[in-house]
Amino acid sequence: MAEIGTDIEKAATLLSQGELVAIPTETVYGLAGNALNVEAVAKIFSAKNRPQFDPLIVHVPSLALARNYVTAIPKKAERLAQLFWPGPLTLVLEKKDETIPALVTSGLKTVGFRSPDHPLTRKLLTALPFPVAAPSANPFGYVSPTTPQHVNEQLGDKISYILDGGVCTIGIESTIIGFEGNDPVVLRLGGLSLERIEAVTGNIKVHVHSTSNPLAPGQLKSHYAPGKSLKLGTLEELLQEYPAHTSGILSFKHDFHSPHQRILSPSGNPEEAARNLFQYLRDFDKMPVDVILAELLPDEGLGRAINDRLKRAAAVDNS
Ligand code: TXA
Ligand code: MG
């Protein structure tokens, strides 16, 4: 098992030596390595068992640092970074040659940058002389970790240190935006709502549902899968089909008075629901249930990003 602690210097030393450290962010925990060190990056792919066609997000303390690695920054990207960095937004920008290794970007000409909003990780990034590549700190295809314990349970034998920043305050991954010229395109729905983005950019394209050979593997249908089969629909109807005593129930706000239920947000708040989502999906893995029954949230705010993950989880057949 990995050591869990709040020693930023230790984390910085390990990263400088090419080792991996799990780091807290406001979205989910990341599995960090020196983005400029190909061997460190290779360790990330192998620890996660992640295919090399799935590029990593590079974490920087500010837009000023990202500038060193990109050819140009579209005006709208600049505006979005000014408004939402640090925060749950990844910007995919055109990469300058010979800077970020091709392994980080899976050979793409673009690179995803994010400036995470967590005090410990901001201190760490500011102290380091290199940017940090960090995918979510889970085995490939599983739900992302939102606590140090989640990381330890799944990757504890592959890394030596987990920087403890407590429970992630947003709880789902960053929203990813790419650019066609100056026009933003959403590549992954996430912790920054479409409404907040469109208030700045006007209407934008959402392009998150490619299937084979995806541009962003967050686009793979089966991503975010919990260990058990998840059925999506109207809970009342699903409960006629599946026996209540062997089913986990994941509701948005309604109480089904079942011992195997989780209510995402009794007050109907999608932000609270996002914060609870991955913990609750993990909880069902430990319950004596065969199947998870879940319902979609209203398609607005973070509800959209939650629904996206529920639909992907439902697309896998674990039965
Ligand atoms: O909130 C987050 O974004 C977390 C925390 C740790 O920062 N990170 C995260 O990383 O979710 P990961 O690797 O689990 O998901 C990154 C997604 C992948 O689906 C990848 O395909 C996409 O970002 N991505 C990275 N670089 C890209 C690029 N150049 N073009 C298109 N998609 C890219
Ligand atoms: Mg991930």
Side-chain angles (χ1 to χ4, degrees), residues 48 50 135-136 138 144 173 188 223-224:
K48 273 187 67 100
R50 177 175 175 122
S136 52
N138 51 279
S144 296
E173 304 85 351
R188 177 175 74 184
H223 230 64
Y224 313 108

Side-chain angles (χ1 to χ4, degrees), residues 10-312:
K10 177 167 182 161
T13 304
L14 286 165
L15 289 167
S16 301
Q17 291 166 345
E19 298 302 323
L20 305 185
V21 173
I23 56 167
T25 83
E26 77 283 28
T27 58
V28 301
Y29 273 74
L31 180 60
N34 177 350
L36 305 181
N37 176 336
V38 180
E39 277 133 49
V41 175
K43 283 184 196 168
I44 297 177
F45 281 95
S46 86
K48 273 187 67 100
N49 203 7
R50 177 175 175 122
Q52 296 198 351
F53 62 72
D54 190 358
L56 306 178
I57 293 173
V58 176
H59 294 68
V60 286
S62 66
L63 184 64
L65 273 143
R67 262 181 229 290
N68 298 332
Y69 306 104
V70 300
T71 54
I73 302 182
K75 278 214 173 62
K76 284 186 181 163
E78 190 125 3
R79 186 83 191 114
L80 289 169
Q82 273 167 4
L83 289 170
F84 298 119
W85 277 13
L89 169 69
T90 294
L91 296 168
V92 174
L93 303 171
E94 205 170 297
K95 177 171 116 168
K96 216 185 260 176
D97 282 343
E98 328 249 315
T99 51
I100 304 283
L103 184 59
V104 173
T105 59
S106 302
L108 295 174
K109 289 200 164 116
T110 54
V111 49
F113 278 106
R114 182 163 111 76
S115 186
D117 188 13
H118 189 289
L120 279 187
T121 292
R122 289 193 63 69
K123 270 194 198 149
L124 174 66
L125 291 175
T126 310
L128 293 171
F130 49 80
V132 146
S136 52
N138 51 279
F140 183 71
Y142 198 74
V143 287
S144 296
T146 53
T147 69
Q149 289 71 31
H150 294 167
V151 180
N152 219 3
E153 278 169 24
Q154 293 189 306
L155 296 178
D157 56 342
K158 308 230 166 90
I159 53 179
S160 57
Y161 198 61
I162 300 173
L163 195 57
D164 184 354
V167 179
C168 298
T169 53
I170 290 185
I172 52 174
E173 304 85 351
S174 63
T175 301
I176 302 182
I177 293 192
F179 291 86
E180 289 170 0
N182 192 41
D183 294 334
V185 180
V186 175
L187 300 176
R188 177 175 74 184
L189 294 162
L192 183 66
S193 73
L194 197 56
E195 287 87 344
R196 293 190 64 197
I197 295 165
E198 288 188 329
V200 178
T201 59
N203 273 4
I204 63 178
K205 265 199 265 180
V206 178
H207 185 74
V208 296
H209 278 294
S210 84
T211 44
S212 60
N213 193 21
L215 186 64
Q219 298 180 331
L220 285 172
K221 250 196 169 172
S222 68
H223 230 64
Y224 313 108
K228 285 178 184 165
S229 172
L230 185 143
K231 308 291 173 195
L232 211 45
T234 308
L235 288 171
E236 287 79 1
E237 283 174 16
L238 287 169
L239 280 165
Q240 313 219 313
E241 203 177 324
Y242 297 91
H245 65 283
T246 51
S247 302
I249 302 173
L250 182 66
S251 74
F252 177 31
K253 53 187 178 183
H254 190 73
D255 188 346
F256 283 82
H257 303 286
S258 155
H260 307 313
Q261 75 174 5
R262 288 288 182 271
I263 307 173
L264 285 169
S265 171
S267 67
N269 174 340
E271 271 97 41
E272 183 184 23
R275 213 150 42 231
N276 288 328
L277 179 67
F278 290 154
Q279 176 68 57
Y280 289 179
L281 287 174
R282 281 170 193 263
D283 289 348
F284 289 120
D285 280 349
K286 294 183 179 157
M287 288 183 197
V289 297
D290 302 330
V291 64
I292 306 167
L293 311 180
E295 63 183 354
L296 293 176
L297 273 63
D299 226 359
E300 57 193 27
L302 295 195
R304 247 191 225 104
I306 293 170
N307 290 347
D308 173 77
R309 280 142 185 87
L310 289 174
K311 286 177 195 163
R312 285 170 206 275

